[in-house]
Amino acid sequence: MRVLITGATGYVGGRITAAVKEAGHEVRLLVRSPNRTATLRPLGLADLPTEVGDITDRESVRRALDGCDAVVHAAAVYSLDRRSTALMERVNAPGTANVLEEAAELGLDPVVHVSSTVAFLPGTGETIGPDSPVGAPRFAYARTKADSERIARRLQDGGAAVVSVYPGAVYGANDPYFGEQAQLVRALLRRRLPVLPTGGFHVVDADDVGATVAALLEPGRGPRRYVVPGWHRSVPEIADELSRLTGRRIPYAKMSSRVLMPSARPTDALQRLLPIRLPVSGEAIYVTACDLRFDDSKTRSEFGLEPRPFADTLREMVAWLAAEGRIPRRAAGALADTPDASPTAAKERPKAARR
């Protein structure tokens, strides 16, 4: 099957591309610049067919889809930084509409939409399943992902072979853009967060996202929805696990996310004025305050996929941060001398445990 992948040069998109290629599919990439494919070389992916374009340009999307059997739409601007609000609003939902609508019109099957668990925020206080209603989040990234998911569901309701897949917060090594989760782990290891919010969120391994998407590339099954297998974790639990793995105490005080929420607005206002990134954001606190739990049993049972132990994900992530010089060796503690979590090593390990 020839599969177009948008967002392949991103952290999650790269892992998806590797998994789809390993599953035996022919891939084509829609990229804004051929130079951006350099992020794929560490994953052993080179000289892949590319189409230069942008998901916000409907004509370039149609050109890229021509001759393809299926598409994986993984492109989106992901940031909890309020300074990125305008960009996310300009790209995420409009780009999703261009890709999914064009693919559905051309009859591609399946049309995989990489959504997010934040699309369900603030939630109902009950466990969220893949068919739960889309939420109405307060903050920019989650709001644009909810808007994007509504586009996917409209097409699903019309019978298009659109498949929604919901990762949580994605952790792992070799993030070429040093994104939100890498920044959180670094801040915890460097003891820069003295107060941690209670509540939690769904966490997943980057390779498990790739394995789930690759498993969905089966035509003729119509519209479907799946949560990527993972774990519910709070920030204090992540800090405690990092302490155990590194052998270094990470001191902190816990405070209710709901108590911390009033500090979100001044924090974000200050962020707009500063050239550096603050270690906390209003949206991050909001996600923990919602404290949603997700039912991923459908994905586990239907595809035999089990999530990688989160401790293993963090162990590899810390080793990578130390090897890249993102944290001092002392912050990695017992993991400072762990062999580098190289892309090759990550590629060779199982993408997800199978029963």
Side-chain angles (χ1 to χ4, degrees):
M1 182 183 296
R2 180 179 292 170
V3 183
L4 177 72
I5 301 177
T6 73
T9 59
Y11 178 40
V12 173
R15 300 303 179 93
I16 290 172
T17 302
V20 170
K21 188 111 172 40
E22 187 174 324
H25 299 288
E26 179 183 348
V27 300
R28 175 191 294 173
L29 313 181
L30 176 61
V31 298
R32 283 182 288 159
S33 167
N35 294 335
R36 297 177 69 87
T37 60
T39 61
L40 296 172
R41 293 189 192 118
L43 298 175
L45 301 170
D47 302 321
L48 297 177
T50 62
E51 182 75 30
V52 176
D54 192 294
I55 61 170
T56 61
D57 175 13
R58 202 169 185 112
E59 183 56 39
S60 69
V61 169
R62 178 172 280 272
R63 287 197 307 269
L65 290 168
D66 185 42
C68 290
D69 306 298
V71 62
V72 175
H73 174 51
V77 178
Y78 171 42
S79 177
L80 304 183
D81 185 339
R82 289 295 290 270
R83 294 173 297 183
S84 299
T85 295
L87 179 61
M88 289 188 286
E89 291 175 343
R90 186 167 68 249
V91 172
N92 291 358
T96 295
N98 286 341
V99 175
L100 301 192
E101 289 172 1
E102 287 293 330
E105 184 176 324
L106 292 170
L108 273 63
D109 183 6
V111 177
V112 180
H113 172 227
V114 181
S115 187
S116 173
T117 53
V118 300
F120 296 98
L121 297 176
T124 60
E126 302 175 354
T127 298
I128 301 294
D131 295 320
S132 294
V134 178
R138 286 174 47 187
F139 286 81
Y141 173 68
R143 186 173 64 247
T144 62
K145 293 303 287 186
D147 290 343
S148 298
E149 179 60 17
R150 275 187 277 272
I151 293 165
R153 293 200 174 194
R154 172 173 52 79
L155 292 167
Q156 290 169 344
D157 291 344
V162 174
V163 184
S164 293
V165 58
Y166 310 102
V170 182
Y171 286 78
N174 306 301
D175 180 349
Y177 300 106
F178 195 62
E180 298 288 343
Q181 278 63 60
Q183 292 178 48
L184 172 61
V185 170
R186 180 178 69 169
L188 290 171
L189 291 169
R190 297 175 70 186
R191 300 171 174 169
R192 298 292 176 86
L193 298 174
V195 178
L196 301 182
T198 59
F201 43 93
H202 193 66
V203 300
V204 300
D205 184 274
D207 282 337
D208 289 350
V209 181
T212 302
V213 171
L216 299 178
L217 289 174
E218 183 181 353
R221 298 192 58 193
R224 296 170 288 150
R225 301 170 190 143
Y226 298 90
V227 177
V228 174
W231 314 96
H232 181 274
R233 290 291 185 272
S234 68
V235 178
E237 286 173 335
I238 294 172
D240 291 345
E241 189 65 55
L242 289 170
S243 292
R244 187 185 70 80
L245 292 171
T246 62
R248 297 180 72 249
R249 181 171 172 267
I250 299 177
Y252 63 83
K254 282 195 284 190
M255 186 174 292
S256 165
S257 297
R258 297 189 181 278
V259 172
L260 286 171
M261 275 305 298
S263 68
R265 182 170 295 178
T267 297
D268 286 342
L270 179 61
Q271 179 66 89
R272 291 180 184 275
L273 302 174
L274 296 175
I276 60 171
R277 178 69 191 277
L278 295 174
V280 294
S281 69
E283 186 156 7
I285 297 171
Y286 174 68
V287 171
T288 63
C290 293
D291 196 23
L292 296 190
R293 285 161 172 78
F294 288 85
D295 179 4
D296 56 21
S297 59
K298 177 182 177 182
T299 314
R300 297 190 191 212
S301 62
E302 191 168 322
F303 301 109
L305 292 170
E306 292 292 335
R308 187 184 189 199
F310 192 56
D312 291 351
T313 301
L314 288 179
R315 183 180 292 108
E316 186 177 276
M317 195 172 184
V318 174
W320 165 70
L321 288 168
E324 290 289 308
R326 295 284 190 173
I327 57 172
R329 285 175 55 84
R330 67 179 181 279
L335 299 179
D337 296 320
T338 302
D340 180 17
S342 68
T344 302
K347 188 167 182 281
E348 288 172 351
R349 72 169 172 80
K351 295 297 184 289
R354 289 186 177 269
R355 287 200 291 262

